[in-house]
Amino acid sequence: MGMGKLKKKSWARLWAVNLFCAVLFLSGCQTTSFYTSAELTRTDTQPRVLLMPMNIQLSELTAGGQLEANAEWTETAKQHARTAIVQLLSDRNA
């Protein structure tokens, strides 16, 4: 076997391996859709919304650069957030 044929085989093998790797990696990028619908339909006339507990903490920055939790501000903020969410959901009939 001559040196030219060996190089051609090596390049062909290299291209085949690169092509295989490209197909393997790019096939993972394919997205599949199992079910699609043009419009969403409600099964319940009054849907329920489940909210997780809110994690709200308000602090003030001291002159020394430390954050100091303020319980009064935190409780007020929780009440305002709760009221705003209830209002938003009632506006949307949810």
Side-chain angles (χ1 to χ4, degrees), residues 3-77:
M3 197 63 162
K5 285 186 178 182
L6 184 60
K7 282 188 176 183
K8 284 183 181 180
K9 280 189 175 184
S10 295
W11 280 105
R13 189 173 295 145
L14 181 64
W15 275 102
V17 169
N18 283 340
L19 180 63
F20 175 75
C21 289
V23 168
L24 180 68
F25 290 128
L26 292 177
S27 67
C29 297
Q30 179 183 0
T31 58
T32 57
S33 178
F34 297 105
Y35 175 75
T36 58
S37 177
E39 61 184 61
L40 297 176
T41 57
R42 282 189 177 169
T43 56
D44 296 332
T45 57
Q46 188 68 23
R48 296 184 309 160
V49 176
L50 173 67
L51 294 176
M52 299 301 293
M54 292 180 278
N55 185 14
I56 298 174
Q57 182 178 9
L58 296 181
S59 303
E60 63 180 318
L61 187 63
T62 64
Q66 299 292 320
L67 288 176
E68 187 175 307
N70 190 319
E72 183 181 339
W73 292 356
T74 299
E75 189 56 39
T76 303

